[in-house]
Amino acid sequence: MPQRKLRMGMVGGGRDAFIGAVHRMAAALDGQIDLVAGAFSSNPEKSRASGEDLFLDPSRVYGSYEAMAAAEAALPEDQRIDFVSIVTPNFMHAPVAACFLKAGFHVVCDKPMTLTLEEAKALQTVQAESGKIFALTHNYSGYPMVKEAREIVRRGGLGRILKVVSEYPQGWLSDKIEAEDQKQAAWRTDPQRAGASCCVGDIGTHAEQLGRYITGLKIESLCAEFTSFVDGRLLEDDGNMLVRYKGGAKGVLYASQISAGEENNLSIRIYGTEGSLEWHQEHPNELILKSNSAPAQVLRRGNDYLSEAAKRFTRIPAGHPEAFLEAFANIYSEAVRAIRDAIDGTDAGDYDFPTIEDGVYGMAFIETAVASAASDSKWTSFIQ
């Protein structure tokens, strides 16, 4: 196992990019990673300026991701990057990831994994042939109390799962801010850069993945309705779904970016034959347990009564809030553990981060929802 920090490169995430800064902070949190190289923009001058902002060696700041992959692969083993973090808009995920996998590098990629399901399956083949680690940053599965929820379900604490209700309302796209060239809105509402979906592809995938991570349930079919409430918007800004899971459980999932006053209100409720649980992303350090035979319980992060899974991903004592950046960092810390083992030629086999298989499933979910929303019959079998 290498007794050093892992060397990270980044593609995307230059000046004024929200998610790039989040990834850099999360990667740095545990002192296991150094950012040493990057192609931070498709504009070489902006990439260079972004590298200066980050105090990087100018010779390791590149004008394109292709140049970066080739140059880093040509460096001696003790200098080149160990992995790349991809934080571009959706349409660049697949080509960048494939390029670095083929060049021999491990990959951490933002979600959704690709622009289409076809791209996702092709990338899965590239990753399998490369043998490299691929981590997908569905960061909400990194929260300690989400891991506690999964452990409760796994040990049968809720009984047989009957219903999953997941929701993710935001309000930031209530106006057509993409017309003002607001950067985050401009690419998310553009089918060429975001793909076939805006709202569901952007945040609905988080709601779906959260339910699947906690319960392990896979979708059999779904019935979706998409709406573009803002005039002239090319992709949906609101999505509502009924879900049928394999095994008989039912689900309700909605994602919205025109819900005025909502900030980032991802939440989930899971109902079983013996009890239920509830978690809210805006109050992430608490998990609510309910049953018909006892008062509701509120479990709080950092306490000794929690499972080992929750404790392992907790950094600070009870009463000191942990949240968004720490959850992202938990994905990075697990990816680092897997990459270190891969470098050492070992495999612990118990890594807890979303993989390329989760990425393929997420793209299948988006395409099934898009197909259902466009269909008159509505109930649409899950696309494989």
Side-chain angles (χ1 to χ4, degrees):
M1 182 176 294
Q3 300 300 310
R4 59 173 176 81
K5 291 186 179 184
L6 294 189
R7 296 180 291 271
M8 181 177 90
M10 178 169 279
V11 176
R15 282 183 172 179
D16 305 320
F18 161 70
I19 204 64
V22 168
H23 277 255
R24 289 191 291 271
M25 286 186 282
L29 191 60
D30 292 315
Q32 296 292 307
I33 297 170
D34 271 337
L35 175 66
V36 299
F40 299 103
S41 173
S42 57
N43 179 323
E45 181 57 28
K46 185 174 180 181
S47 181
R48 182 197 61 75
S50 299
E52 288 180 356
D53 293 344
L54 298 167
F55 307 104
L56 296 184
D57 179 346
S59 70
R60 305 286 291 276
V61 179
Y62 303 93
S64 71
Y65 72 87
E66 297 97 333
M68 176 178 166
E72 289 294 317
L75 289 174
E77 248 184 73
D78 63 349
Q79 296 179 32
R80 69 176 69 133
I81 61 171
D82 294 298
F83 73 97
V84 65
S85 178
I86 302 170
V87 292
T88 65
N90 302 352
F91 77 106
M92 290 302 297
H93 289 179
V96 176
C99 178
F100 278 86
L101 288 168
K102 290 176 181 177
F105 297 109
H106 305 286
V107 170
V108 175
C109 183
D110 206 24
K111 48 58 58 190
M113 188 170 76
T114 57
L115 200 65
T116 66
L117 178 58
E118 182 181 8
E119 277 190 349
K121 290 179 176 179
L123 184 60
Q124 186 178 34
T125 298
V126 172
Q127 186 269 334
E129 291 173 350
S130 74
K132 297 300 178 182
I133 301 299
F134 188 101
L136 191 69
T137 52
H138 269 295
N139 60 296
Y140 298 110
S141 59
Y143 284 95
M145 299 313 288
V146 168
K147 296 185 184 297
E148 181 69 15
R150 184 174 65 160
E151 289 302 305
I152 289 170
V153 171
R154 280 180 167 179
R155 65 175 182 252
L158 303 187
R160 180 168 60 89
I161 302 303
L162 304 177
K163 191 176 187 70
V164 179
V165 180
S166 52
E167 58 192 63
Y168 201 155
Q170 298 175 336
W172 72 291
L173 288 180
S174 295
D175 297 313
K176 197 176 181 183
I177 58 175
E178 63 267 32
E180 303 164 9
D181 205 31
Q182 202 273 5
K183 182 176 180 179
Q184 300 301 323
W187 75 259
R188 282 177 169 83
T189 57
D190 178 1
Q192 298 302 312
R193 290 182 283 175
S197 170
C198 172
C199 181
V200 169
D202 186 22
I203 59 174
T205 49
H206 278 306
E208 184 282 321
Q209 192 267 345
L210 185 63
R212 178 163 44 92
Y213 180 79
I214 294 172
T215 67
L217 294 175
K218 299 290 185 70
I219 297 171
E220 181 178 89
S221 60
L222 57 79
C223 173
E225 179 184 48
F226 284 9
T227 306
S228 297
F229 279 105
V230 174
D231 289 343
R233 182 165 284 159
L234 299 178
L235 295 174
E236 93 287 352
D237 45 35
D238 186 84
N240 301 283
M241 295 177 221
L242 299 177
V243 179
R244 293 170 176 166
Y245 291 102
K246 294 177 180 179
K250 308 298 182 184
V252 178
L253 186 155
Y254 93 87
S256 175
Q257 291 171 315
I258 48 78
S259 295
E262 296 287 0
E263 294 175 345
N264 217 49
N265 198 13
L266 171 64
S267 64
I268 189 164
R269 295 184 292 279
I270 299 172
Y271 300 93
T273 54
E274 303 299 325
S276 66
L277 61 79
E278 181 175 341
W279 181 79
H280 297 265
Q281 193 274 151
E282 292 186 347
H283 304 279
N285 293 285
E286 298 181 350
L287 178 66
I288 303 169
L289 297 182
K290 301 177 184 178
S291 74
N292 290 327
S293 59
Q297 291 180 277
V298 179
L299 307 183
R300 289 180 57 84
R301 185 210 55 78
N303 285 284
D304 287 339
Y305 54 70
L306 299 177
S307 67
E308 290 305 314
K311 291 177 184 177
R312 184 159 74 89
F313 291 94
T314 298
R315 290 176 173 77
I316 53 180
H320 301 278
E322 287 187 36
F324 186 71
L325 291 177
E326 289 89 346
F328 250 108
N330 284 338
I331 304 296
Y332 270 96
S333 67
E334 283 294 279
V336 162
R337 190 162 68 92
I339 292 169
R340 286 188 182 280
D341 285 352
I343 293 171
D344 200 38
T346 61
D347 182 357
D350 63 347
Y351 312 114
D352 188 358
F353 58 82
T355 65
I356 199 160
E357 287 75 21
D358 292 288
V360 172
Y361 190 97
M363 290 312 304
F365 165 69
I366 292 170
E367 295 207 358
T368 304
V370 170
S372 176
S375 168
D376 291 331
S377 60
K378 289 303 178 185
W379 282 105
T380 303
S381 297
F382 197 76
I383 295 171
Q384 302 296 323

